[in-house]
């Protein structure tokens, strides 16, 4: 803020004081601009570190499940005849084979229904017409249809009472008929107290239930009723145990069995549980792909060219540039922010050590020493040094390991040395590292790396770059105050000069006037 409000801008001297002060201040601002640009670059570096942390977070997600034994016990089910019995996992089956015999499918019940003969109305929206209104009771509930009602509005009135009557109505345009259906399988439909037995909807009095049908085929009214049929429980025998079917899906021993047809005595369907090699293979491949993607990105960051002649743009500089020009400039200004970065270089070295160090065999009864490294299940580093340790998969070898030695593969990734000491992790304990699986090693190491990056570029006030930004803000504030004082000083000097010139001009004018007046 300028404290001296009295300014003379060249009125007496003819000097463009505004421009002159601006040029002087531009020169004074050089140091401030450097601090502002340094702050911008520091903010960019914080963003760059956070992008790296996001990469590590994504990579950690890809190996998180590989720490767990349950990942390597994934199963899939196959049916010898899925047209008769289909299966899906719903839990953890206890057996590897299920024999399905003597199947009698569940037979769902059918509700009572009655269809009334074709009407004389042109469409379901045609009114019943004058003199054609009538009343009746449906399961004891009175319903009043008037001349202005149509088939559609009549059905609306009937269905509005469905919670009380237990009956719904619908219209079949193909048959031009109204159909009443009980909501419950064993529900009744009782139509009575018809005020007009020759009504245009052709409703007739009578009852349809599980035991009674007043509207058999050939009924004079033209109506046709269908009595309710109760559901019939089904039966299935699984590995010799007879089970009742209350519907055609049965949850049993961690499996959902869907019965599609009967199986007579002497026939069977076999359900087989096997290790889901495809799912486990995909998990491992996902980790390898994410590792390769991560190291590619980070090596690019470490080797990124730095353009020293491209400093962050100041706001004044951007006003004279097009958006595309700004984008290109800042692209080069941001390039190389993490060139040869110590934290990232160290993280990559530790990841390589984590991957390539053998897993010690402390329990020979559980782990085959054949599988103490990734290379022995078909995962190796590329021989091309330009690929910076990219992992490659021999798919045939990996699938063979999963199919023939799944327990050993599981231990290679998920083995945990000492689960009783929750404070230990493989990144800070040598014994824990040497005797734990690769999944745990990677997970712990990534956590440590992300913590280190957070200490440098995190959101807390204690983070290294947060402290730097705070110090830069203090410097900027200090420089702005100094420049305000400097600008006030310049204006004070120029104002004094203008006042002196004006005073001199006034005195000169007076003298000239006096001399002229004396002649």
């Amino acid at each position: 803020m300028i404290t001296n409000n009295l300014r003379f801008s060249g009125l007496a001297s003819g000097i463009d004081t505004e421009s002159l002060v601006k040029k002087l201040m531009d020169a004074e601002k050089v140091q401030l601009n450097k601090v502002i640009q340094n702050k911008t670059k520091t903010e960019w570096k914080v963003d760059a570190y956070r992008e790296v942390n996001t990469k590590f977070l994504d990579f950690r997600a890809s190996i998180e499940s590989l720490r767990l034994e349950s990942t390597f016990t994934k199963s899939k089910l196959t049916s010898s005849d899925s047209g008769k019995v289909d299966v899906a996992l719903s839990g953890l089956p206890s057996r590897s084979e299920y024999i399905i015999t003597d199947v009698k499918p569940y037979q769902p019940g059918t509700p009572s229904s009655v269809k009334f003969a074709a009407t004389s109305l042109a469409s379901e929206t045609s009114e019943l017409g004058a003199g054609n209104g009538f009343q009746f009771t449906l399961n004891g509930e009175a319903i009043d249809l008037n001349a202005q009602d149509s088939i559609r509005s009549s059905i609306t009135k009937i269905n509005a009472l469905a919670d009380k009557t237990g009956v719904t109505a619908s219209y079949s345009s193909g048959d031009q008929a109204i159909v009443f259906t009980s909501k419950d399988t064993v529900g009744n439909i009782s139509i009575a107290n018809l005020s007009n037995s020759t009504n245009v909807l052709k409703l007739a009095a009578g009852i349809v239930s599980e035991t009674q049908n007043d509207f058999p085929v050939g009924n004079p009214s033209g109506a046709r009723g269908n009595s309710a049929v109760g559901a019939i429980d089904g039966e299935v025998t699984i590995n010799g145990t007879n089970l009742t079917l209350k519907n055609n899906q049965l949850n049993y021993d961690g499996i959902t069995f869907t019965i599609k047809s009967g199986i007579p005595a002497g026939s069977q369907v076999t359900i087989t549980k096997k290790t889901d090699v495809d799912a486990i293979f995909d998990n491992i491949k996902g980790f390898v792909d994410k590792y390769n993607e991560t190291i590619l990105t980070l090596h690019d960051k470490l080797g990124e060219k730095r353009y020293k002649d491209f400093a962050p743009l100041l706001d004044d500089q951007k006003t004279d540039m097009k958006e595309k020009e700004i984008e290109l400039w800042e692209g080069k200004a941001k390039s190389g922010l993490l060139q040869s970065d110590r934290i990232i270089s160290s993280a990559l070295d530790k990841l390589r050590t984590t991957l390539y160090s053998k897993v010690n065999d402390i329990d020979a009864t559980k782990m085959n020493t054949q599988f103490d490294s990734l290379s022995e299940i078909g995962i190796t580093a590329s021989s091309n040094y330009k690929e910076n340790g990219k992992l490659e998969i021999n798919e045939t070898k990996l699938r063979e390991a999963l199919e023939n030695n799944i327990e050993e593969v599981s231990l290679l990734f998920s083995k945990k040395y000492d689960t009783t000491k929750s404070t230990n992790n493989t990144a800070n304990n040598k014994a824990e590292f040497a005797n734990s699986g690769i999944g745990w090693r990677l997970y712990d190491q990534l956590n440590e790396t992300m913590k280190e990056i957070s200490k440098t570029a995190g959101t807390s006030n204690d983070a290294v770059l947060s402290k730097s930004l705070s110090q830069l803000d203090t410097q900027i504030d200090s420089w702005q105050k100094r420049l305000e004082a400097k600008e006030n000083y310049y204006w004070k000097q120029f104002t004094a000069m203008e006042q002196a010139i004006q005073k001199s001009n006034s005195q000169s004018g007076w003298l000239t006037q006096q001399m002229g007046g004396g002649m």
Side-chain angles (χ1 to χ4, degrees):
M1 182 183 292
I2 306 303
T3 56
N4 182 3
N5 292 322
L6 183 61
R7 293 180 172 183
F8 291 89
S9 183
L11 293 175
S13 65
I15 298 172
D16 185 355
T17 312
E18 292 277 359
S19 297
L20 188 56
V21 171
K22 184 180 182 306
K23 289 179 180 178
L24 288 168
M25 290 308 299
D26 284 345
E28 296 285 352
K29 286 180 182 177
V30 170
Q31 290 302 317
L32 171 61
N33 290 340
K34 286 182 179 179
V35 178
I36 291 173
Q37 289 173 320
N38 192 9
K39 180 188 175 185
T40 300
K41 208 153 192 173
T42 303
E43 289 172 335
W44 287 348
K45 194 165 188 176
V46 169
D47 291 339
Y49 271 126
R50 288 177 182 169
E51 287 176 12
V52 169
N53 243 9
T54 299
K55 274 289 177 189
F56 282 133
L57 189 65
D58 288 345
F59 178 38
R60 189 185 70 178
S62 74
I63 57 94
E64 198 159 0
S65 63
L66 295 179
R67 302 173 301 142
L68 310 175
E69 289 182 18
S70 58
T71 299
F72 299 90
T73 58
K74 286 182 179 178
S75 301
K76 66 178 180 180
L77 301 170
T78 57
S79 170
S80 63
D81 190 342
S82 58
K84 292 181 179 178
V85 181
D86 204 2
V87 285
L89 282 169
S90 57
L92 297 174
S94 62
R95 302 172 65 94
S96 59
E97 187 176 80
Y98 297 81
I99 307 298
I100 314 298
T101 57
D102 301 317
V103 175
K104 295 177 182 178
Y106 166 82
Q107 297 178 34
T110 57
S112 298
S113 67
V114 58
K115 181 174 75 171
F116 293 101
T119 72
S120 59
L121 296 176
S123 73
E124 59 184 298
T125 58
S126 300
E127 292 184 354
L128 301 184
N132 289 328
F134 66 99
Q135 299 83 39
F136 66 99
T137 59
L138 178 60
N139 284 352
E141 294 292 328
I143 297 172
D144 185 3
L145 304 180
N146 57 51
Q148 288 73 44
D149 275 319
S150 62
I151 293 175
R152 184 176 294 173
S153 65
S154 298
I155 287 174
T156 299
K157 284 184 175 181
I158 295 167
N159 288 340
L161 294 171
D163 286 342
K164 294 181 178 179
T165 64
V167 176
T168 60
S170 56
Y171 179 66
S172 171
S173 59
D175 295 330
Q176 287 189 304
I178 289 179
V179 179
F180 287 83
T181 308
S182 62
K183 293 174 69 176
D184 295 327
T185 302
V186 294
N188 298 339
I189 301 173
S190 174
I191 298 173
N193 303 316
L194 271 166
S195 65
N196 182 357
S197 62
T198 60
N199 61 84
V200 295
L201 298 185
K202 305 300 181 184
L203 301 190
I207 297 175
V208 180
S209 69
E210 191 173 13
T211 58
Q212 182 175 349
N213 181 4
D214 292 343
F215 305 100
V217 175
N219 182 58
S221 68
R224 179 171 179 174
N226 294 287
S227 292
V229 176
I232 302 174
D233 288 346
E235 294 180 359
V236 60
T237 300
I238 302 178
N239 290 342
T241 301
N242 184 261
L243 302 166
T244 299
L245 296 172
K246 292 295 183 181
N247 58 56
N248 283 318
Q249 255 195 358
L250 174 69
N251 289 315
Y252 176 74
D253 196 28
I255 300 175
T256 299
F257 296 85
T258 300
I259 306 301
K260 295 183 176 181
S261 73
I263 300 176
S267 297
Q268 68 179 47
V269 172
T270 304
I271 308 301
T272 306
K273 182 189 78 169
K274 291 183 178 180
T275 300
D276 192 347
V277 170
D278 289 336
I280 301 169
F281 178 90
D282 289 343
N283 272 350
I284 295 174
K285 186 176 185 302
F287 133 70
V288 170
D289 290 344
K290 188 58 71 173
Y291 173 79
N292 289 340
E293 176 190 318
T294 302
I295 65 168
L296 174 63
T297 299
L298 298 184
H299 275 290
D300 286 347
K301 292 289 184 186
L302 291 174
E304 199 171 52
K305 185 175 180 180
R306 187 177 295 164
Y307 297 91
K308 294 182 179 180
D309 295 333
F310 287 81
L313 292 169
L314 301 167
D315 290 339
D316 290 345
Q317 293 172 317
K318 291 180 181 179
T319 57
D320 298 326
M321 298 175 70
K322 295 178 181 177
E323 188 175 337
K324 187 64 177 177
E325 291 174 330
I326 295 172
E327 182 183 338
L328 291 172
W329 182 284
E330 290 195 338
K332 292 202 170 186
K334 290 179 179 180
S335 179
L337 287 171
L338 299 179
Q339 185 190 81
S340 302
D341 183 81
R342 178 194 61 80
I343 297 175
I344 297 174
S345 296
S346 174
L348 289 173
D349 288 341
K350 289 174 181 176
L351 284 178
R352 291 189 197 96
T353 300
T354 297
L355 282 172
Y356 302 142
S357 296
K358 291 186 175 183
V359 177
N360 284 358
D361 182 8
I362 60 165
D363 187 350
T365 64
K366 289 186 177 180
M367 185 170 182
N368 186 332
T369 53
Q370 176 189 358
F371 292 166
D372 57 6
S373 67
L374 287 175
S375 62
E376 289 168 341
I377 62 168
I379 301 174
T380 55
S382 169
S383 58
N384 185 347
Y385 73 94
K386 293 182 179 179
E387 293 187 315
N388 299 303
K390 173 184 175 182
L391 293 179
E392 296 177 341
I393 299 177
N394 181 327
E395 294 194 8
T396 301
K397 190 172 183 179
L398 177 57
R399 285 187 179 277
E400 285 178 354
L402 294 174
E403 288 169 358
N404 301 322
N405 302 92
I406 188 62
E407 290 184 8
E408 287 80 1
V409 176
S410 172
L411 286 168
L412 177 64
F413 283 97
S414 65
K415 184 180 179 185
K416 193 75 171 79
Y417 175 46
D418 190 350
T419 56
T420 62
K421 297 180 180 179
S422 58
T423 56
N424 279 359
N425 75 58
T426 61
N428 58 32
N429 184 292
K430 289 183 178 180
E432 194 81 16
F433 178 90
N435 296 287
S436 290
I438 291 168
W440 281 104
R441 291 177 180 178
L442 286 171
Y443 186 82
D444 290 343
Q445 185 54 59
L446 287 167
N447 280 338
E448 293 301 311
T449 297
M450 288 188 287
K451 285 179 188 176
E452 187 174 2
I453 290 176
S454 293
K455 287 178 183 178
T456 300
T459 55
S460 73
N461 294 330
D462 293 332
V464 174
L465 293 182
S466 291
K467 289 180 180 179
S468 295
L469 288 171
S470 179
Q471 291 168 356
L472 290 167
D473 281 334
T474 301
Q475 290 180 40
I476 289 170
D477 184 59
S478 176
W479 270 104
Q480 286 174 335
K481 289 177 180 177
R482 288 164 63 184
L483 290 172
E484 281 182 17
K486 195 69 172 179
E487 187 173 3
N488 283 333
Y489 169 77
Y490 283 137
W491 275 109
K492 185 176 180 180
Q493 294 297 100
F494 280 112
T495 298
M497 181 188 75
E498 292 291 334
Q499 289 173 331
I501 292 172
Q502 188 176 28
K503 184 177 180 180
S504 175
N505 288 343
S506 296
Q507 290 174 344
S508 177
W510 181 82
L511 289 171
T512 300
Q513 188 179 30
Q514 294 300 315
M515 290 174 65
M519 293 177 64

